[in-house]
Amino acid sequence: MHLAIAGSIATDHLMTFPGRFTDSLVPEELDKVALSFLVEDLDVRRGGCAANISFALASLGHRPVLVGSVGKDFDVEYRGWLESAGVDTSSVRVSESRHTARFVCTTDSTLAQIASFYAGAMSEAREIDVLGLGHAFDLVLIGPDDPEGMLRHTAACRDAGVPFAADPSQQLAFADGDMIRLLVDGATYLFSNDYEAALIEQKTGWTSADVQSKVGTRIVTRGKDGVSVYTADDEVHVSAIPGLVAVDPTGVGDSFRAGFLAGVAAGLGLERSAQIGCTIAASVVLTKGTQEYTLDRQSFLDRLGSAYGDVAAAEVGDALALA
């Protein structure tokens, strides 16, 4: 399958403050706050949902086409990193005036956070014609991005009859019911976690059955409780990989999506596809950073087999082009 992954591309700047923010706050002077915190470290990470998903797909043997909008700073290091991993970045749009989206966050000793998100070039994703990029896509995943860009990509796929996967995730908090209906209706696949699934129903006024009637397959991730996959006729539950001590949960959902799509692209059923998703998600949760892990074929299949059985490992090994 020729896959396009449309969505956010960003860098994360993460800092740690050894004290407590609250010790520097004067309640009666909050209307005049002017604070500076001396932090201990700076961790700069590559991120963005579309970039994370694309990286994971490339790790599983695919060459996905990354679709998003970035600044000129993307060419300094990030583009080369993704290309060397096996991601096709030729369809990434480069803004003439804005920087790549950036998340800047400081965490104190109590895990309280002060953060800012700069959308930057991501706001120009609405200028991209995803079906006019010169590719014939078998499936387009539409992840969190500039809202107008998400709506444009969705409408283009729906109108042209191109299968698409709806993955609104972080933008659900921003979106109203009308927007969510437009992003979901007609999707071949709908990805969400269990909270997001409830939010979709709450904001749209749809029941779970209503949502199911609008899409082909619903995939609901449930953290340590695994994942549930629903179709009009069936329901599959796959447990998470057991015995993991999480290092960093950031990007785990993105990697699951990549694993699931890799299984679908290989012609595997919903259960096997979800098992692949859970297995690569384990690699991410055990690593600090969203794209800092490496996949070794035998280790990957051993982990999958230990959780889901030798037959599962054999079928996945025959289907995936893992290095």
Side-chain angles (χ1 to χ4, degrees), residues 4-35:
I5 308 300
S8 61
I9 305 167
T11 55
D12 300 338
H13 292 240
L14 309 179
M15 292 163 279
T16 303
F17 174 59
R20 300 189 306 172
F21 295 141
T22 53
D23 291 340
S24 299
L25 297 176
V26 180
E28 59 270 21
E29 299 290 336
L30 292 181
D31 60 332
K32 305 172 185 176
V33 172
L35 294 172

Side-chain angles (χ1 to χ4, degrees), residues 79 272 276:
R79 186 188 297 274
R272 291 285 180 265
I276 295 169

Side-chain angles (χ1 to χ4, degrees), residues 33 49 71 75 86 115 125 136 140 148 150 162 165 182 191 226 229 233 241 302:
V33 172
C49 293
D75 288 329
V140 178
E148 291 300 321
M150 295 171 70
V162 175
L182 290 172
F191 289 100
V229 184
D233 306 314
I241 300 288
D302 286 347

Side-chain angles (χ1 to χ4, degrees), residues 15-314:
M15 292 163 279
T16 303
F17 174 59
R20 300 189 306 172
F21 295 141
T22 53
D23 291 340
S24 299
L25 297 176
V26 180
E28 59 270 21
E29 299 290 336
L30 292 181
D31 60 332
K32 305 172 185 176
V33 172
L35 294 172
S36 176
F37 298 98
L38 184 63
V39 300
E40 288 189 332
D41 53 28
L42 169 63
D43 188 9
V44 181
R45 301 181 189 172
R46 309 170 191 91
C49 293
N52 293 339
I53 295 170
S54 296
F55 179 87
L57 276 165
S59 299
L60 290 166
H62 285 267
R63 184 164 173 77
V65 177
L66 176 61
V67 180
S69 186
V70 299
K72 293 179 180 179
D73 53 310
F74 179 74
D75 288 329
V76 175
E77 186 272 340
Y78 204 167
R79 186 188 297 274
W81 165 264
L82 291 171
E83 284 285 349
S84 66
V87 177
D88 182 346
T89 66
S90 62
S91 295
V92 171
R93 183 185 189 279
V94 180
S95 171
E96 289 296 322
S97 59
R98 294 181 171 96
H99 290 287
T100 301
R102 187 163 300 173
F103 177 66
V104 181
C105 181
T106 303
T107 304
D108 76 1
S109 61
T110 69
L111 300 184
Q113 293 183 319
I114 296 176
S116 300
F117 183 79
Y118 167 71
M122 190 180 82
S123 63
E124 297 180 17
R126 66 188 65 185
E127 304 299 327
I128 300 171
D129 176 7
V130 69
L131 299 185
L133 296 173
H135 300 275
F137 296 121
D138 297 304
L139 180 75
V140 178
L141 181 137
I142 302 166
D145 201 349
D146 168 63
E148 291 300 321
M150 295 171 70
L151 288 169
R152 180 179 182 180
H153 299 336
T154 303
C157 290
R158 188 161 45 225
D159 293 347
V162 175
F164 68 95
D167 180 23
S169 53
Q170 291 100 321
Q171 290 294 29
L172 287 170
F174 160 85
D176 60 18
D178 288 340
M179 179 179 174
I180 295 170
R181 292 185 195 98
L182 290 172
L183 292 175
V184 167
D185 192 17
T188 304
Y189 301 98
L190 171 61
F191 289 100
S192 70
N193 61 32
D194 42 9
Y195 179 82
E196 291 162 352
L199 194 58
I200 289 171
E201 293 175 22
Q202 175 187 311
K203 287 197 168 187
T204 60
W206 288 341
T207 65
S208 178
D210 291 334
V211 176
Q212 186 65 61
S213 72
K214 304 293 183 181
V215 304
T217 300
R218 281 191 306 137
I219 304 99
V220 182
T221 57
R222 304 185 184 282
K224 63 180 178 60
D225 295 321
V227 57
S228 299
V229 184
Y230 305 93
T231 66
D233 306 314
D234 198 11
E235 176 180 334
V236 175
H237 182 76
V238 171
S239 60
I241 300 288
L244 301 178
V245 179
V247 173
D248 182 2
T250 309
V252 170
D254 296 334
S255 64
F256 172 85
R257 285 149 173 74
F260 184 89
L261 292 179
V264 169
L268 295 173
L270 298 177
E271 181 178 24
R272 291 285 180 265
S273 297
Q275 290 168 348
I276 295 169
C278 289
T279 304
I280 190 172
S283 296
V284 179
V285 80
L286 293 173
T287 308
K288 188 175 183 180
T290 60
Q291 300 175 28
E292 306 304 322
Y293 59 96
T294 57
L295 291 187
D296 170 76
R297 176 182 177 84
Q298 195 55 54
S299 297
F300 182 88
L301 294 177
D302 286 347
R303 174 174 282 163
L304 189 148
S306 68
Y308 307 118
D310 293 339
V311 173

